[in-house]
Amino acid sequence: MVLLAKLVAIAFIIIGCIVIMKRGVVKTILEYVKVGNRIYGVAALRILFGIIFILAAVMARSGWIVTVIGWLLIVAGVFVFVIKKEKAFEIIDKMVTNAKPKTIRLIGTIPVVIGVLLISAL
């Protein structure tokens, strides 16, 4: 389980680096998620990653860090299911559509930091 959690953490780092280097990727990803019910698939993936992190926290060096990140992912995934799809898109559009390049880079650094934190905690 720890290996799977480390692979997910590495994926976070890679995705964050791609977002930092190519700012247009964020808008492309958002347009992809807006089609049909893909937002619910992304929410289910968040919940799955959260469960993986919580299960891996038992064997981690700093289990509480991994547990907190796992619970945050689960709450974020459940939140998408609780609010309406249109409201979720509205929140996403407010954050990203009119964002400055500096803000987009900041958005990209978040998964990088979380990934590095997870790798060091696992």
Side-chain angles (χ1 to χ4, degrees):
M1 193 59 64
V2 173
L3 177 66
L4 188 59
K6 284 185 180 183
L7 290 175
V8 172
I10 291 169
F12 280 0
I13 294 169
I14 292 170
I15 290 171
C17 289
I18 290 171
V19 169
I20 291 170
M21 289 184 220
K22 295 188 174 192
R23 292 179 295 232
V25 171
V26 174
K27 291 182 183 177
T28 306
I29 292 171
L30 289 178
E31 292 304 318
Y32 176 79
V33 170
K34 285 184 180 181
V35 175
N37 290 327
R38 291 179 182 163
I39 192 166
Y40 296 123
V42 172
L45 204 60
R46 282 182 179 178
I47 293 170
L48 178 67
F49 289 161
I51 291 170
I52 289 170
F53 288 141
I54 289 173
L55 293 175
V58 176
M59 297 176 273
R61 281 182 250 152
S62 299
W64 69 273
I65 295 173
V66 181
T67 303
V68 167
I69 293 173
W71 278 111
L72 287 174
L73 285 170
I74 290 173
V75 168
V78 169
F79 182 72
V80 172
F81 284 110
V82 171
I83 64 172
K84 294 182 181 178
K85 181 169 62 169
E86 294 77 23
K87 185 67 175 174
F89 290 145
E90 182 182 321
I91 292 169
I92 291 169
D93 283 339
K94 279 184 182 178
M95 290 173 45
V96 177
T97 303
N98 298 325
K100 298 175 184 175
K102 196 175 198 178
T103 306
I104 298 292
R105 277 189 240 117
L106 179 65
I107 290 171
T109 59
I110 293 170
V112 171
V113 169
I114 290 173
V116 169
L117 188 63
L118 283 169
I119 291 288
S120 63
L122 292 168

